Amino acid sequence: MDRTVTEPGTFEFEDTVDTLCVRIVGGAVNVVGVDEGPARLEVTEIDGPPLKIERRGSTLTVAYDDLSWKGLLKWHDRHGWRRRAVISLAVPQGTSVEVGVIGAGAVISGISGSTVVQGVNGDTTLVGLTGPVKANTVGGNVEAQSVSGDLRVNTVSGDLTVVEGSGSEVRADSVSGSMVLDLDPSAGAQIQLTTVSGEIAIRIPEQGDADVDANTTSGHVSCAFEELQVTGLWGVKRISGRVGSGGAKLKATTVSGAIALLRRPPLEDAPSFRKDI
């Protein structure tokens, strides 16, 4: 089934959907995983060129004809910024999701399949994802809440916030974006954070088990764990050592940004994370 969308409306897809591809300019896209029922698309706002709905087997695509996935991060069209679409999709939880946004926000929740997001000048929110996640943004922030799948994030100037992260792998790279992470790494978890000028703040449980190696070339450091060693009064400063029995690997590097390693108190005593940082 192929059709174009020029006005608000709701669409249902009775056949199986196991892959979703979305590419929009302006506005917002919301994708939610559901237990049962057919996949559904609701277009609440649309301005500019029509969106195209395309079905190929079990793949559902909602996108502009002239906006390809490979060219999304390099797409330049002065007339394109007049476009706007606000859409919501409900798909089976196991669906593999690809979302590309330019000047638009994206919210993806409840998906257990793989999730890939590419964004330019739009914020991305990821909630309750259990499958592997990749997010690449230029000038957009990424917030991940209760994500238990492996998480890989690349940003240019966007900030990364992770709340209640428990995946076995977290890898994040940024040029100037800051990183604020609340983690409960499982045994053997691999966490690697790198930024040039952004600040890094990490909070792990009081009884956490992690080998830590965090350093900054010219920024300040602070550490709430007495069992870790802070070295370097001038130039490169490093926080290193083991919390608990180790197991997880935590490595963080920034050139000019500050690094803070914070202790999360027991849940019954824990204040809001955002007030801690």
Side-chain angles (χ1 to χ4, degrees), residues 199-216:
E199 298 180 348
I200 299 176
I202 309 161
R203 190 169 77 165
I204 61 177
E206 185 172 4
Q207 302 301 323
D209 298 317
D211 289 318
V212 177
D213 182 9
N215 65 84
T216 175

mmCIF file of all heavy atoms in Angstrom, residues 199-216:
data_model
loop_
_atom_site.group_PDB
_atom_site.id
_atom_site.type_symbol
_atom_site.label_atom_id
_atom_site.label_comp_id
_atom_site.label_asym_id
_atom_site.label_seq_id
_atom_site.Cartn_x
_atom_site.Cartn_y
_atom_site.Cartn_z
ATOM 1 N N GLU A 199 31.159 18.681 30.046
ATOM 2 C CA GLU A 199 31.326 18.154 31.387
ATOM 3 C C GLU A 199 30.722 16.754 31.480
ATOM 4 O O GLU A 199 29.789 16.424 30.755
ATOM 5 C CB GLU A 199 30.655 19.075 32.409
ATOM 6 C CG GLU A 199 31.253 20.475 32.439
ATOM 7 C CD GLU A 199 30.566 21.377 33.463
ATOM 8 O OE1 GLU A 199 29.491 20.975 33.964
ATOM 9 O OE2 GLU A 199 31.106 22.453 33.755
ATOM 10 N N ILE A 200 31.245 15.949 32.397
ATOM 11 C CA ILE A 200 30.740 14.603 32.611
ATOM 12 C C ILE A 200 30.416 14.435 34.095
ATOM 13 O O ILE A 200 31.273 14.667 34.948
ATOM 14 C CB ILE A 200 31.764 13.526 32.187
ATOM 15 C CG1 ILE A 200 32.078 13.640 30.698
ATOM 16 C CG2 ILE A 200 31.248 12.133 32.520
ATOM 17 C CD1 ILE A 200 33.162 12.676 30.220
ATOM 18 N N ALA A 201 29.182 14.038 34.393
ATOM 19 C CA ALA A 201 28.782 13.728 35.759
ATOM 20 C C ALA A 201 28.143 12.346 35.758
ATOM 21 O O ALA A 201 27.228 12.079 34.971
ATOM 22 C CB ALA A 201 27.800 14.767 36.300
ATOM 23 N N ILE A 202 28.637 11.465 36.624
ATOM 24 C CA ILE A 202 28.177 10.084 36.658
ATOM 25 C C ILE A 202 27.780 9.737 38.084
ATOM 26 O O ILE A 202 28.533 9.999 39.023
ATOM 27 C CB ILE A 202 29.274 9.108 36.192
ATOM 28 C CG1 ILE A 202 29.863 9.568 34.848
ATOM 29 C CG2 ILE A 202 28.729 7.685 36.084
ATOM 30 C CD1 ILE A 202 31.205 8.958 34.547
ATOM 31 N N ARG A 203 26.607 9.144 38.240
ATOM 32 C CA ARG A 203 26.205 8.675 39.552
ATOM 33 C C ARG A 203 25.982 7.167 39.499
ATOM 34 O O ARG A 203 25.272 6.666 38.629
ATOM 35 C CB ARG A 203 24.921 9.373 40.028
ATOM 36 C CG ARG A 203 24.619 9.087 41.480
ATOM 37 C CD ARG A 203 23.523 9.976 42.024
ATOM 38 N NE ARG A 203 22.201 9.539 41.599
ATOM 39 C CZ ARG A 203 21.072 9.978 42.163
ATOM 40 N NH1 ARG A 203 21.125 10.872 43.147
ATOM 41 N NH2 ARG A 203 19.892 9.554 41.736
ATOM 42 N N ILE A 204 26.614 6.435 40.425
ATOM 43 C CA ILE A 204 26.445 4.988 40.514
ATOM 44 C C ILE A 204 26.036 4.638 41.939
ATOM 45 O O ILE A 204 26.242 5.424 42.867
ATOM 46 C CB ILE A 204 27.730 4.240 40.098
ATOM 47 C CG1 ILE A 204 28.898 4.618 41.014
ATOM 48 C CG2 ILE A 204 28.068 4.505 38.644
ATOM 49 C CD1 ILE A 204 30.184 3.850 40.692
ATOM 50 N N PRO A 205 25.453 3.464 42.147
ATOM 51 C CA PRO A 205 24.959 3.113 43.481
ATOM 52 C C PRO A 205 26.070 3.079 44.522
ATOM 53 O O PRO A 205 27.234 2.814 44.227
ATOM 54 C CB PRO A 205 24.357 1.713 43.277
ATOM 55 C CG PRO A 205 24.051 1.638 41.823
ATOM 56 C CD PRO A 205 25.122 2.434 41.143
ATOM 57 N N GLU A 206 25.672 3.318 45.768
ATOM 58 C CA GLU A 206 26.618 3.307 46.877
ATOM 59 C C GLU A 206 27.349 1.975 46.975
ATOM 60 O O GLU A 206 28.523 1.912 47.309
ATOM 61 C CB GLU A 206 25.868 3.603 48.181
ATOM 62 C CG GLU A 206 26.769 3.742 49.386
ATOM 63 C CD GLU A 206 26.011 4.229 50.606
ATOM 64 O OE1 GLU A 206 24.778 4.384 50.511
ATOM 65 O OE2 GLU A 206 26.653 4.450 51.634
ATOM 66 N N GLN A 207 26.652 0.884 46.682
ATOM 67 C CA GLN A 207 27.264 -0.448 46.724
ATOM 68 C C GLN A 207 27.616 -0.947 45.327
ATOM 69 O O GLN A 207 27.680 -2.150 45.099
ATOM 70 C CB GLN A 207 26.298 -1.435 47.397
ATOM 71 C CG GLN A 207 25.899 -1.042 48.810
ATOM 72 C CD GLN A 207 27.091 -0.926 49.739
ATOM 73 O OE1 GLN A 207 28.040 -1.703 49.655
ATOM 74 N NE2 GLN A 207 27.068 0.066 50.632
ATOM 75 N N GLY A 208 27.822 -0.012 44.395
ATOM 76 C CA GLY A 208 28.111 -0.405 43.032
ATOM 77 C C GLY A 208 29.428 -1.151 42.896
ATOM 78 O O GLY A 208 30.324 -1.034 43.734
ATOM 79 N N ASP A 209 29.540 -1.933 41.835
ATOM 80 C CA ASP A 209 30.758 -2.700 41.550
ATOM 81 C C ASP A 209 31.299 -2.245 40.208
ATOM 82 O O ASP A 209 30.719 -2.553 39.168
ATOM 83 C CB ASP A 209 30.460 -4.204 41.529
ATOM 84 C CG ASP A 209 29.959 -4.723 42.872
ATOM 85 O OD1 ASP A 209 30.537 -4.325 43.894
ATOM 86 O OD2 ASP A 209 28.995 -5.507 42.882
ATOM 87 N N ALA A 210 32.409 -1.504 40.218
ATOM 88 C CA ALA A 210 32.944 -0.982 38.963
ATOM 89 C C ALA A 210 34.418 -0.648 39.096
ATOM 90 O O ALA A 210 34.867 -0.158 40.140
ATOM 91 C CB ALA A 210 32.174 0.267 38.533
ATOM 92 N N ASP A 211 35.176 -0.949 38.047
ATOM 93 C CA ASP A 211 36.537 -0.450 37.905
ATOM 94 C C ASP A 211 36.451 0.888 37.177
ATOM 95 O O ASP A 211 35.855 0.980 36.107
ATOM 96 C CB ASP A 211 37.392 -1.432 37.100
ATOM 97 C CG ASP A 211 37.701 -2.703 37.882
ATOM 98 O OD1 ASP A 211 38.001 -2.590 39.086
ATOM 99 O OD2 ASP A 211 37.621 -3.801 37.299
ATOM 100 N N VAL A 212 37.054 1.915 37.760
ATOM 101 C CA VAL A 212 36.862 3.283 37.280
ATOM 102 C C VAL A 212 38.179 3.866 36.765
ATOM 103 O O VAL A 212 39.221 3.744 37.406
ATOM 104 C CB VAL A 212 36.307 4.183 38.406
ATOM 105 C CG1 VAL A 212 36.182 5.627 37.935
ATOM 106 C CG2 VAL A 212 34.963 3.660 38.905
ATOM 107 N N ASP A 213 38.111 4.508 35.606
ATOM 108 C CA ASP A 213 39.235 5.274 35.075
ATOM 109 C C ASP A 213 38.650 6.497 34.373
ATOM 110 O O ASP A 213 38.133 6.405 33.266
ATOM 111 C CB ASP A 213 40.054 4.436 34.094
ATOM 112 C CG ASP A 213 41.269 5.191 33.559
ATOM 113 O OD1 ASP A 213 41.560 6.291 34.081
ATOM 114 O OD2 ASP A 213 41.913 4.687 32.632
ATOM 115 N N ALA A 214 38.681 7.644 35.056
ATOM 116 C CA ALA A 214 38.105 8.884 34.516
ATOM 117 C C ALA A 214 39.167 9.962 34.551
ATOM 118 O O ALA A 214 39.839 10.142 35.569
ATOM 119 C CB ALA A 214 36.882 9.302 35.325
ATOM 120 N N ASN A 215 39.327 10.695 33.460
ATOM 121 C CA ASN A 215 40.371 11.724 33.437
ATOM 122 C C ASN A 215 39.956 12.924 32.612
ATOM 123 O O ASN A 215 39.140 12.834 31.701
ATOM 124 C CB ASN A 215 41.691 11.136 32.912
ATOM 125 C CG ASN A 215 41.598 10.704 31.469
ATOM 126 O OD1 ASN A 215 41.749 11.500 30.557
ATOM 127 N ND2 ASN A 215 41.325 9.413 31.243
ATOM 128 N N THR A 216 40.543 14.073 32.972
ATOM 129 C CA THR A 216 40.356 15.313 32.237
ATOM 130 C C THR A 216 41.697 15.998 32.099
ATOM 131 O O THR A 216 42.523 15.967 33.022
ATOM 132 C CB THR A 216 39.349 16.246 32.946
ATOM 133 O OG1 THR A 216 39.292 17.501 32.240
ATOM 134 C CG2 THR A 216 39.731 16.511 34.394
#
